[in-house]
Amino acid sequence: MEGKAILKGLIFGLVLFQTAIGKEVCLSELKNPYPDDYLDYALRRTVERAFLQAGERLRCGEGSEKVIVEVLEYKDIPTGLSPFQRVNSYNLFLSFELKTQSKSYKYSVAVPYFLPSGEQGDLPKRSALEDALGIIYPKLIEDLIRR
């Protein structure tokens, strides 16, 4: 137990140290041709969190690196029918590109979700979007640390 606490403290200290000396990054634009405000919110939050965890500082000012995120594809693909012959199972497909001044990274993922009834609105789709971004997140951090 004590070893885990020490390890957590060291990791926390390393993250603070990296943040103190990290480059300044500005998420200047999020290009999303799809009419889904939650996608904008969730994608911006995920990318900003990844930059922070990679040791960068978020600040839009003189000398900060401009970053553009562009959604390439965002769609639902029907995969199953209910006993009443209505589509109730989907695959959510998300693909986006992260462009920095020096490199470009592309990410894509497909996540299944189930819509048991119309009463739940778009909550299952939002949950699937969060799952998709959670799958991409470790690779995103890895790419940002290595750049």
Side-chain angles (χ1 to χ4, degrees):
M1 269 327 229
E2 191 174 301
K4 285 185 179 181
I6 291 172
L7 183 61
K8 284 182 180 179
L10 288 174
I11 291 172
F12 182 70
L14 179 63
V15 168
L16 285 177
F17 177 72
Q18 284 182 330
T19 302
I21 63 167
K23 292 186 284 182
E24 290 183 350
V25 175
C26 176
L27 186 56
S28 62
E29 191 174 355
L30 194 146
K31 297 178 182 178
N32 179 12
Y34 302 95
D36 188 343
D37 293 333
Y38 192 76
L39 174 61
D40 289 347
Y41 165 75
L43 187 56
R44 179 178 292 276
R45 187 186 71 216
T46 300
V47 170
E48 286 178 348
R49 191 171 44 134
F51 271 111
L52 289 172
Q53 192 163 351
E56 310 287 339
R57 290 187 294 167
L58 296 176
R59 181 170 179 265
C60 291
E62 193 173 317
S64 62
E65 182 179 5
K66 303 291 184 216
V67 175
I68 297 171
V69 178
E70 182 176 357
V71 178
L72 303 174
E73 195 167 9
Y74 179 64
K75 64 181 177 181
D76 295 315
I77 302 170
T79 58
L81 296 173
S82 73
F84 302 108
Q85 299 298 309
R86 291 202 169 91
V87 176
N88 66 350
S89 180
Y90 299 88
N91 275 339
L92 177 86
F93 184 75
L94 172 65
S95 176
F96 69 92
E97 184 175 12
L98 179 95
K99 298 174 188 175
T100 64
Q101 290 176 342
S102 58
K103 284 191 171 184
S104 178
Y105 306 94
K106 290 186 179 182
Y107 305 94
S108 63
V109 67
V111 177
Y113 73 95
F114 178 70
L115 187 62
S117 69
E119 299 169 350
Q120 294 179 336
D122 65 344
L123 292 178
K125 185 176 181 178
R126 287 183 178 194
S127 179
L129 177 60
E130 293 289 343
D131 291 345
L133 291 172
I135 291 169
I136 291 172
Y137 189 71
K139 178 68 175 152
L140 181 60
I141 292 173
E142 182 181 320
D143 290 343
L144 293 177
I145 288 173
R146 288 185 178 183
R147 68 183 186 102

